[in-house]
Amino acid sequence: MSTRDVQVRMCEIAVGSADDAKILRATLGSCVGIGLLWRARGTYGLAHCLLPQPVGSARAPGAAQTGNGAKYVIEALPALISMMGADAAPDGEIEAVLAGGANMMHHRTTIHEPIGDLNVRMAQQLLAGARVRVVHVDVGGECGRQLTIDCGQHHYAVRHFARAS
């Protein structure tokens, strides 16, 4: 069986299974990648989230989303769980991997916390609330990452790369 590489772009969600042998891949900076692994069912998913949640009038109720529901962490996790058919999965059966959330800017601002930190914190809160077991966290710092989930091999990996100067 040949594998199919699926680049999960910003604001996108992708799902794969052991049967389709997809490799889900997201390249992350301050965005957070949320990978879900439901090994018992051979179902895997990856969301590439830009922001933790809508702010103020950033998006009116009922307005169209960009991508396929992963712009905001707060919307991406429920959408990912639903797309995987894991709404009624037993507590702790789904594993989560978090990557990204870096501070990719050379300067720090005092206006607000770095967006990467806010993305990671929101993802961790939602995963805890959904009783999803977090098995790997590789976040923060100043380097980019690539999160890969190999659905056929039931494996994930996080690779680091330096930001451009």
Side-chain angles (χ1 to χ4, degrees), residues 43-57:
T43 303
Y44 304 88
L46 179 57
H48 185 157
C49 307
L50 177 64
L51 298 166
Q53 62 189 355
V55 178
S57 61

Side-chain angles (χ1 to χ4, degrees), residues 84-144:
M84 291 175 63
D87 299 287
D91 288 356
E93 194 167 287
I94 297 176
E95 299 171 333
V97 178
L98 289 178
N103 180 8
M104 301 302 288
M105 306 303 285
H106 286 282
H107 62 281
R108 298 215 180 248
T109 175
T110 57
I111 297 171
H112 58 78
E113 274 187 85
I115 197 68
D117 292 347
L118 296 171
N119 283 334
V120 170
R121 187 174 316 121
M122 178 63 74
Q124 290 172 324
Q125 288 172 358
L126 292 172
L127 288 165
R131 296 184 302 275
V132 173
R133 193 166 43 103
V134 179
V135 296
H136 186 83
V137 177
D138 192 338
V139 298
E142 295 182 346
C143 69

